[in-house]
Amino acid sequence: MELRIQSINFEATEQLKAFVEKRMKKIEKFSDNIIQAEVTLKVVKPETAKNKEASVKMNLKSGEAFASKTADKFEEAIDLCAEALEKQIIKTKEKKER
């Protein structure tokens, strides 16, 4: 799977990038059909709570999956996105098996 990480309105640390990579690799075990993942990290409104937004778009062989979540920390937002994507991938897989 090809992974692209983009940070908007701030510079992502190596630690954050490593976390994103690790979390996206975990999603790979749900499906072999993931071609590419684009992760966009954005600081929405500085100085407010829940201002970290993470969006993940995955290109699959059978379409695409997308999740966008906002939280206090990027790690939390990435986790929420990953959970949503896992559900979408499992649903797609189940539909295919019917």
Side-chain angles (χ1 to χ4, degrees):
M1 165 177 73
E2 183 188 326
L3 178 65
R4 240 185 309 168
I5 302 170
Q6 182 181 13
S7 52
I8 300 170
N9 298 339
F10 79 105
E11 190 62 45
T13 63
E14 286 304 314
Q15 189 179 355
L16 180 60
K17 287 179 183 177
F19 177 83
V20 171
E21 276 183 46
K22 185 179 169 189
R23 195 63 177 97
M24 292 300 116
K25 291 276 183 237
K26 283 185 182 177
I27 295 175
E28 265 188 309
K29 71 181 174 194
F30 289 95
S31 176
D32 303 330
N33 295 336
I34 303 168
I35 301 165
Q36 179 186 32
E38 286 182 41
V39 180
T40 307
L41 304 170
K42 186 162 87 176
V43 177
V44 186
K45 296 178 194 148
E47 313 306 319
T48 61
K50 293 204 172 201
N51 66 339
K52 312 284 192 296
E53 183 183 295
S55 304
V56 183
K57 179 182 167 190
M58 289 195 153
N59 293 323
L60 312 170
K61 288 179 185 166
S62 58
E64 66 181 34
F66 179 80
S68 181
K69 303 288 179 186
T70 307
D72 286 331
K73 296 180 179 170
F74 282 115
E75 289 84 354
E76 190 181 337
I78 288 293
D79 276 338
L80 292 170
C81 282
E83 286 172 26
L85 288 165
E86 286 166 9
K87 287 178 188 170
Q88 287 178 42
I89 290 168
I90 290 167
K91 247 186 198 172
T92 306
K93 223 178 189 180
E94 286 172 356
K95 279 183 186 175
K96 218 179 198 183
E97 289 171 4
R98 287 185 198 156

